[in-house]
Amino acid sequence: MASTDQSPTLEILVRTPEELSIWTGPPFANGQPGVKLEKVSCVNAKFSDDGSRLMVTKSNSVISIYDCKSAKEIRSFEVPNVTSAILSPCGTFLQTFQKPSAPQEKNVTLWKTENGDPVYQHSQKNLTKTTWPAIQFSSNEATACRMATNEVQFFDTRDFSKGIIDRLRVPGVSAIELSSAPGSHVAAYVPESKGIPACVQIFPCGNASQSQAVARRSFFRCSTTQLKWNHGSTGLLVLVQSDVDKTNQSYYGESKLFYLTIDGKHEGLVPLSKEGPVHDAQWSYSGLEFAVVYGFMPAKATLFDKKCNPLLELGTGPYNTIRWNPKGKFLCLAGFGNLPGDMVFWDYADKKQLAATKAEWSVTSEWSPDGCYFMTATTAPRLQVDNGIKIFHYNGSLYFTKMFDKLFQADWKPEPADKFGDITELIKSLNLGKVEDKKPSGPGPKSAQASNKLSSTNPPAQKPAAYRPPHAKNAAAVQAELLGIGESSPAGSMSKNALRNKKKREKQKEKKAASDANS
């Protein structure tokens, strides 16, 4: 794993229908994970973004906060009718949403995890992807804001008792995204209305009431948007999707990808070279480049720099997912969901493909914080069978598999990537040899050893036989039995009926030969 004593240990949260456990590793001693926290009854669990706290929701409306270093419970909250809860990025605050029992009831509460006191409350009717979490924090918790009717409201994170300290007027706003590292800008989406196009605008957070948009992009035919900031808060990817494709090329509607920068130099479409939907778009951890999987199947994957120039083509295939390695250098291109589970591992720094393999029926997938391992999980309720965890090395070789009767969750404990050593030293410490692709990536001469390996593990595909209806599948055997077809076979292997028929034919031949001779 890591080459220095200061490097943290990797940990995995595993949740089944009744309980959760926290595993230690990989690497695993004797091929099996150690257990740091065992059998805690719960219905939900989530780490804070920095990995310092763990929130565990239990069945009796009790939410417990655990310290991840000691694996001990440090605080417990009893929140009746709670339907959702989340920790702030550093675990300082717990945010809960309770099902409202009366109009204007203050059902969203922000709690201080250190002492258990509520520090802020407001009312919210509905819980949707665009309205939760209600209060958004930057990664260092220095900035916090929430979306309200026609405005974005800002708070002092050191003292929420001050209430709203600033307001940004955005008429018609229906979704916002605060940049996280640093929390310097906020993106606001306004849907189209009465012939006026939808738009996304970027505003600086400082002195919000006086802020003017530093970037803006308008568009028609938009049902939903995804707003994705890079690390550094200089660029924003806007994935726009509509339910209907007016060209009738896709049953799933159409999608477009826009790129906006805070300096206003880019406010247009990302130049994608293949027609079709945008399946995934993800920033690298450095924030200097992003990858897009797009187009009708087989989809195409391209890497772009932050000036929107293509850097590297990753080829085409049954892909819809990109996962960047947190240490840089590697990425995984995969096809999950309703696709067969193909995975291709790339060293994009050296512009070469490392390996191709498969992880069928995967629902979730993520790199480990040290960048050495890639974990996929098949989880319920998306899939009720074949639930389990697979862990691969950075080069695609399978390291560990464990199956479950039912698995709800499998997550790495977050850790800052810079707490681990250099990725080159880390992968050297794994002592992995060169891994052969499970799928040949292209034509070329093959050694005798490779061909022997292919013949022993994957026999060459045979030409498919002609279709035979079910009633005719045993016809040859029936004919052989009744008519004695296949006379060259040894008599000992023939049935009694076949022998009897054979003797009859021989006698008939003798009679016919004798009558011919007499005539």
Side-chain angles (χ1 to χ4, degrees), residues 260-278:
L260 284 74
T261 55
I262 60 172
D263 58 11
K265 289 184 178 178
H266 294 277
E267 294 181 350
L269 283 165
V270 175
L272 304 179
S273 58
K274 187 174 184 178
E275 286 190 5
V278 177

Side-chain angles (χ1 to χ4, degrees), residues 257-325:
L257 186 66
F258 295 93
Y259 177 50
L260 284 74
T261 55
I262 60 172
D263 58 11
K265 289 184 178 178
H266 294 277
E267 294 181 350
L269 283 165
V270 175
L272 304 179
S273 58
K274 187 174 184 178
E275 286 190 5
V278 177
H279 305 287
D280 197 10
Q282 298 290 342
W283 284 100
S284 69
Y285 282 77
S286 67
L288 300 177
E289 57 269 310
F290 61 92
V292 189
V293 188
Y294 59 96
F296 296 112
M297 291 295 164
K300 190 174 184 179
T302 306
L303 265 59
F304 296 87
D305 64 16
K306 63 177 184 177
K307 292 183 178 178
C308 229
N309 300 316
L311 286 176
L312 178 64
E313 297 289 350
L314 301 179
T316 60
Y319 307 128
N320 62 4
T321 304
I322 280 273
R323 293 289 181 266
W324 290 90
N325 187 297

Side-chain angles (χ1 to χ4, degrees), residues 166-178:
D166 212 346
R167 299 170 191 265
L168 172 65
R169 181 80 178 160
V170 188
V173 62
S174 69
I176 65 168
E177 189 67 31
L178 177 66

Side-chain angles (χ1 to χ4, degrees), residues 123-331:
S123 62
Q124 183 173 313
K125 288 182 182 178
N126 301 317
L127 189 69
T128 65
K129 283 186 178 179
T130 56
T131 60
W132 187 255
I135 299 174
Q136 297 185 20
F137 288 87
S138 60
S139 58
N140 60 359
E141 298 183 356
T143 310
C145 65
R146 70 174 281 252
M147 180 182 69
T149 306
N150 296 326
E151 67 181 17
V152 182
Q153 301 171 347
F154 291 85
F155 302 91
D156 183 349
T157 56
R158 295 163 297 183
D159 187 2
F160 273 89
S161 64
K162 292 180 181 177
I164 299 160
I165 60 168
D166 212 346
R167 299 170 191 265
L168 172 65
R169 181 80 178 160
V170 188
V173 62
S174 69
I176 65 168
E177 189 67 31
L178 177 66
S179 62
S180 61
S184 56
H185 291 76
V186 63
Y189 164 67
V190 179
E192 60 183 289
S193 172
K194 299 177 182 178
I196 301 171
C199 71
V200 168
Q201 302 173 80
I202 296 177
F203 298 91
C205 293
N207 195 15
S209 58
Q210 305 298 320
S211 289
Q212 299 295 318
V214 294
R216 176 191 175 97
R217 178 70 194 194
S218 301
F219 36 81
F220 284 104
R221 297 200 306 276
C222 173
S223 305
T224 59
T225 58
Q226 295 179 43
L227 307 172
K228 303 184 178 188
W229 282 102
N230 70 336
H231 185 86
S233 305
T234 58
L236 176 75
L237 290 175
V238 182
L239 179 54
V240 175
Q241 294 172 305
S242 65
D243 295 333
V244 179
D245 181 3
K246 292 202 171 182
T247 63
N248 292 322
Q249 289 183 297
S250 173
Y251 173 80
Y252 299 101
E254 62 177 326
S255 54
K256 293 179 180 178
L257 186 66
F258 295 93
Y259 177 50
L260 284 74
T261 55
I262 60 172
D263 58 11
K265 289 184 178 178
H266 294 277
E267 294 181 350
L269 283 165
V270 175
L272 304 179
S273 58
K274 187 174 184 178
E275 286 190 5
V278 177
H279 305 287
D280 197 10
Q282 298 290 342
W283 284 100
S284 69
Y285 282 77
S286 67
L288 300 177
E289 57 269 310
F290 61 92
V292 189
V293 188
Y294 59 96
F296 296 112
M297 291 295 164
K300 190 174 184 179
T302 306
L303 265 59
F304 296 87
D305 64 16
K306 63 177 184 177
K307 292 183 178 178
C308 229
N309 300 316
L311 286 176
L312 178 64
E313 297 289 350
L314 301 179
T316 60
Y319 307 128
N320 62 4
T321 304
I322 280 273
R323 293 289 181 266
W324 290 90
N325 187 297
K327 296 291 289 183
K329 194 170 173 63
F330 304 119
L331 65 79

Side-chain angles (χ1 to χ4, degrees), residues 49-167:
D49 290 350
D50 67 349
S52 63
R53 299 283 186 267
L54 171 65
M55 178 198 73
V56 177
T57 308
K58 301 180 179 178
S59 57
N60 55 355
S61 295
V62 171
I63 300 173
S64 297
I65 309 297
Y66 286 78
D67 176 71
C68 290
K69 281 186 181 177
S70 62
K72 301 290 184 186
E73 184 177 330
I74 58 172
R75 185 68 55 193
S76 183
F77 299 86
E78 189 168 349
V79 189
N81 301 320
V82 64
T83 58
S84 192
I86 190 169
L87 285 169
S88 60
C90 301
T92 310
F93 302 99
L94 170 69
Q95 192 172 170
T96 60
F97 180 95
Q98 295 165 272
K99 191 175 180 180
S101 56
Q104 302 304 316
E105 178 189 1
K106 293 187 175 181
N107 57 327
V108 174
T109 307
L110 196 67
W111 311 80
K112 195 81 176 285
T113 56
E114 186 181 356
N115 53 24
D117 293 339
V119 294
Y120 182 76
Q121 287 183 304
H122 71 262
S123 62
Q124 183 173 313
K125 288 182 182 178
N126 301 317
L127 189 69
T128 65
K129 283 186 178 179
T130 56
T131 60
W132 187 255
I135 299 174
Q136 297 185 20
F137 288 87
S138 60
S139 58
N140 60 359
E141 298 183 356
T143 310
C145 65
R146 70 174 281 252
M147 180 182 69
T149 306
N150 296 326
E151 67 181 17
V152 182
Q153 301 171 347
F154 291 85
F155 302 91
D156 183 349
T157 56
R158 295 163 297 183
D159 187 2
F160 273 89
S161 64
K162 292 180 181 177
I164 299 160
I165 60 168
D166 212 346
R167 299 170 191 265

